[in-house]
Amino acid sequence: MNVCKLVLFLVVSLCTACTALNIQNRSDKFELSLRQYGSALRWGHWTDAYSYHITRDKKQLEVDIEKLERFSVAGFDILEQIMDPEGTEVIILVDINYYDEQIGTLRNIRQQQVWWFNEETKRWFTESDFPDLK
């Protein structure tokens, strides 16, 4: 009987460890995705940043990339970050500071974004609207 309990304990321990590793792996991938997304915004790589905006039903909202060429993002700061216990969804609150080169003004928008993990592609996406720079 003690051998059965030991085997059961080992199986449960291994399952728990695997789950924890999966969550940690997704969390690491999220941090990397968020850095790449913020970098794409700051460097004006609008198409790269736009590629992260995919809904769970695999749709993308229309964004006029050409209109964005007049803006420069000066800051992308995460104010708050909440990950669900399974590590498959993250809600962030972000401050985006940007400069309108035509008007010469520095502006700020605060946006809540919902990020989700796609198990098929093993990538993070945001189903939130693209930042409305105007």
Side-chain angles (χ1 to χ4, degrees):
M1 192 59 117
N2 287 337
V3 173
C4 288
K5 287 181 182 179
L6 180 62
V7 169
L8 180 61
F9 174 76
L10 289 173
V11 168
V12 170
S13 296
L14 285 173
C15 289
T16 302
C18 287
T19 300
L21 285 174
N22 282 339
I23 291 171
Q24 182 61 46
N25 186 23
R26 285 191 295 265
S27 177
D28 291 345
K29 285 184 178 186
F30 174 71
E31 294 299 327
L32 178 61
S33 294
L34 201 54
R35 279 196 306 272
Q36 290 172 334
Y37 175 76
S39 178
L41 288 176
R42 285 191 306 274
W43 286 99
H45 298 158
W46 305 114
T47 304
D48 293 342
Y50 178 63
S51 72
Y52 284 92
H53 287 267
I54 298 177
T55 63
R56 293 174 207 245
D57 57 357
K58 298 177 176 68
K59 294 181 181 172
Q60 274 189 303
L61 299 174
E62 292 294 319
V63 173
D64 185 0
I65 300 289
E66 199 171 294
K67 173 194 143 219
L68 297 171
E69 295 300 325
R70 70 185 239 208
F71 298 104
S72 295
V73 173
F76 180 82
D77 300 311
I78 308 303
L79 303 176
E80 190 174 303
Q81 178 176 315
I82 302 168
M83 181 176 281
D84 72 339
E86 293 82 34
T88 57
E89 182 177 291
V90 180
I91 299 172
I92 65 169
L93 183 62
V94 62
D95 255 349
I96 301 171
N97 296 303
Y98 65 98
Y99 182 76
D100 184 334
E101 295 171 2
Q102 290 181 353
I103 301 174
T105 58
L106 184 63
R107 295 185 179 164
N108 174 277
I109 58 172
R110 184 167 286 178
Q111 183 183 35
Q112 180 175 307
Q113 295 181 345
V114 177
W115 287 73
W116 63 281
F117 186 73
N118 183 318
E119 282 292 339
E120 294 172 17
T121 62
K122 304 293 186 211
R123 282 192 59 203
W124 283 92
F125 298 100
T126 180
E127 59 187 359
S128 302
D129 292 338
F130 198 82
D132 187 20
L133 308 180
K134 53 184 170 180

